[in-house]
Amino acid sequence: MPVMDSSNTDLRIRTSMPAFASPVDIHQAPRALIEIENLDFHYGPHKVLHEISLQIPERQVTAFIGPSGCGKSTLLRCLNRMNDLIDGARVGAGRISIRGIDIHRSDVDVIELRKRLGMVFQKSNPFPKSIYENVAYGLRIQGVRDRSRLDEAVERSLQGAGLWDEVKDRLHTSGLGLSGGQQQRLCIARTIAVEPEIILMDEPCSALDPIATAKIEELIKELRSKFTIVIVTHNMQQAARCSDLTAFFYLGRLVEFSPTRTIFMNPVNPQTEAYVSGRFG
Amino acid sequence: MSQSSTHPYQSRPGIRRAAERIAFWMLRVCTYAVLACGVFVLSDVVFKGARAVFRSEFPFVNVTFFTEAPESLHVFDYEGRKVEMGDREFRAFRHRESQKAAAENREPLPIESQSFVYSAGGILPCIVGTVLLTVGATVIALLLGISSAVYLSEYARQGTMVRFMRLAILNLAGVPSIVFGLFGMGLFVIYLKWNVSLLAGWFTLAFMVLPLVITASEEALKAVPKGFREASLALGATPWQTIRKAVLPHALSGMLTSSILCVARVAGETAPIMFTAAYVVRDKLPWQGLEHFGDFFFQGVMALPYHIYVVSSKIPQNDYTQRTQYGAAFVFLLIVGLIAASSIILRGKLRQRQTW
């Protein structure tokens, strides 16, 4: 398998120092797109997020890392209000604003919000429809009927997700016939078809093999020129490889949020240092 | 026993092994007893029913049994032979005889016939009525049942209220069918003044199977992966769009197949229709002699299970009536069996298509 060649830095198992996607120029900090201020979040009687404050810049890849149950997925799902679906889940205090608008304001339509914040899930979840219909789904529910517009959007999205060449001859076969990695890229294509501003990824590679993971990471690096990406990951190497900024969470608190290089090379907090060096987690 | 043949795993006869054997044999005997009962009931109906339904000469099937209404059977001696005739045929025969006698200038021969009600003719109106009742009740039950299942499992906030509603629905499943019959008579027939009618029967039967339809539909909805809903909502679909496009299409097959078993139940019940929709006898078929289209819904019909009940308990019993009873029971079994078999085949087909 040529991809597994040790010359490929993306796949090499690292023992000491991770490779970095792109160093962020701190002097040229992009302006914050998503601002989270003192956010407390509860599942029923349990407080799962404590006073999170975080500013996510535009057109950057921000990674949330931390051990299981630290609240990183919960925070991600707060951003497009997917937590609204869970009975008893509520924001206790603080606010989240996107482009300065509080997303919990009463005049915010959660449907419009979710159109602008696409989401890719941990387990790839294509609909049991054709590849074409999977990608066209978001546009169809927005009422787009025009065949040529749909065709064009499907092709553009599949190309954007790096899947076009693999599936262009079988667009009308079931999306479930694809491999796991292809299915996940199909989900990404489906997400970018509705042209969101932000893409939220909830451990998109945790069910994939290293080769499929490498393809998705490659894709993330390409997508950051057009989209703001927030990715939750268990895999620290993944965060190191494809993110610009990294937030480390522990027990529902934000421990450290810095450019990825800083987090991995000289973390300020000893807990961060212990986690990224693999001493716990 | 030599020293070399004993080992730590040596099997020894003992009380535990005996108990094992006895338990196993009891289970086996019970199962065979159930099987024997089933075979006995079925073969009894099939053998006795086949006499009414099949013929030894061409076309081998008693066609009138499927194309005529029930009528009285007349049995009499004629020229030394024992003759069996249906009512209409018998009248025509007597008319011919009297004409013949008049032509020959003599008194017509006295015909001393014995008559048996409902023992000749066929069961067409009952088949038609049962089909109408079943189709209508199923449509109503599916509409109401699927709607409330969608509401309960997709929209409603899962709290005390929904738990209470589920409990109520489950309890409804335990209500005896005769109680549904009484309820239908009280509400539809008397209070709403629908009289004994198809409409009253439809709603009564539909209410009876609603708990089954709701439970089956909820199960089918639960079987749709959560990921479909999340993916759809995350793409900016409204909850209704999500249900309609990402959930219902994948749950519908499960809902329908489970509900076909409800169809068999609807077709088979006697108690709910005896006060609400079924007539003992009716000459006209449901589409005959209608003044307005609306009258269609407000007419009673004959129905197979009720007809079987009438011919087996409301008229004097003898060999001739028994033939009709078992003929009707045989056809009835055939219809219900076909419905059940088609549901099983359909379920198998749809399961093959379901790939997630």
Side-chain angles (χ1 to χ4, degrees), chain B residues 52-67:
Chain B
V53 175
F54 297 110
R55 286 275 174 273
S56 53
E57 66 267 18
F58 190 80
F60 304 112
V61 177
N62 184 0
V63 178
T64 47
F65 197 66
F66 294 95
T67 55

Side-chain angles (χ1 to χ4, degrees), chain A:
Chain A
M1 285 196 288
V3 191
M4 291 302 284
D5 191 310
S6 64
S7 67
N8 186 317
T9 50
D10 281 339
L11 289 172
R12 201 167 56 204
I13 296 161
R14 285 162 197 82
T15 47
S16 55
M17 194 197 296
F20 294 101
S22 53
V24 177
D25 187 349
I26 300 175
H27 303 293
Q28 232 187 15
R31 73 190 181 92
L33 177 62
I34 306 172
E35 287 172 83
I36 303 168
E37 291 165 48
N38 295 318
L39 186 76
D40 284 356
F41 192 80
H42 306 254
Y43 284 134
H46 307 289
K47 192 169 175 182
V48 290
L49 292 178
H50 305 263
E51 294 169 31
I52 307 280
S53 289
L54 195 63
Q55 300 209 325
I56 297 171
E58 198 172 349
R59 303 218 174 162
Q60 300 279 319
V61 179
T62 304
F64 290 177
I65 62 169
S68 298
C70 67
K72 55 196 191 304
S73 284
T74 302
L75 180 61
L76 190 78
R77 295 166 70 94
C78 281
L79 300 181
N80 66 345
R81 286 180 56 184
M82 283 301 270
N83 284 328
D84 291 11
L85 306 175
I86 300 164
D87 285 332
R90 66 194 164 82
V91 171
R95 51 181 241 143
I96 301 172
S97 25
I98 296 173
R99 287 203 192 285
I101 296 161
D102 183 347
I103 62 166
H104 289 98
R105 242 162 67 171
S106 60
D107 64 346
V108 166
D109 183 358
V110 66
I111 305 300
E112 292 302 321
L113 178 75
R114 288 184 192 143
K115 279 182 196 163
R116 301 176 68 91
L117 281 92
M119 190 164 205
V120 178
F121 296 86
Q122 179 172 7
K123 192 171 172 291
S124 63
N125 52 1
F127 300 117
K129 302 172 189 268
S130 69
I131 294 168
Y132 184 96
E133 284 304 322
N134 260 290
V135 182
Y137 184 89
L139 293 171
R140 282 204 193 275
I141 55 170
Q142 289 178 21
V144 177
R145 293 255 167 78
D146 180 16
R147 192 77 198 181
S148 60
R149 229 184 110 191
L150 285 174
D151 286 346
E152 189 261 326
V154 167
E155 179 172 350
R156 181 168 36 77
S157 310
L158 284 171
Q159 265 166 352
L163 196 60
W164 176 251
D165 291 327
E166 292 160 60
V167 301
K168 64 184 174 199
D169 301 322
R170 48 168 173 156
L171 286 177
H172 297 283
T173 60
S174 171
L176 295 171
L178 299 174
S179 72
Q182 286 174 324
Q183 285 192 11
Q184 195 60 293
R185 279 182 285 148
L186 178 63
C187 293
I188 293 173
R190 181 174 67 185
T191 304
I192 60 183
V194 292
E195 297 179 346
E197 203 170 1
I198 301 161
I199 301 178
L200 309 173
M201 296 187 173
D202 191 356
E203 299 183 28
C205 303
S206 65
L208 302 181
D209 64 71
I211 298 168
T213 302
K215 283 190 179 154
I216 303 254
E217 285 177 7
E218 206 56 50
L219 181 59
I220 289 170
K221 285 179 207 162
E222 279 167 32
L223 290 175
R224 69 189 272 278
S225 63
K226 279 195 198 151
F227 304 97
T228 303
I229 294 172
V230 185
I231 177 170
V232 165
T233 177
H234 264 314
N235 181 335
M236 280 177 284
Q237 271 72 38
Q238 185 169 64
R241 284 192 296 262
C242 60
S243 72
D244 303 304
L245 295 142
T246 299
F248 171 61
F249 293 87
Y250 186 57
L251 299 178
R253 290 173 199 280
L254 176 66
V255 177
E256 191 164 347
F257 178 50
S258 308
T260 302
R261 192 181 191 84
T262 316
I263 287 267
F264 282 90
M265 302 288 283
N266 7 254
V268 176
N269 193 296
Q271 272 180 332
T272 316
E273 212 255 320
Y275 184 71
V276 298
S277 60
R279 263 180 278 154
F280 83 100

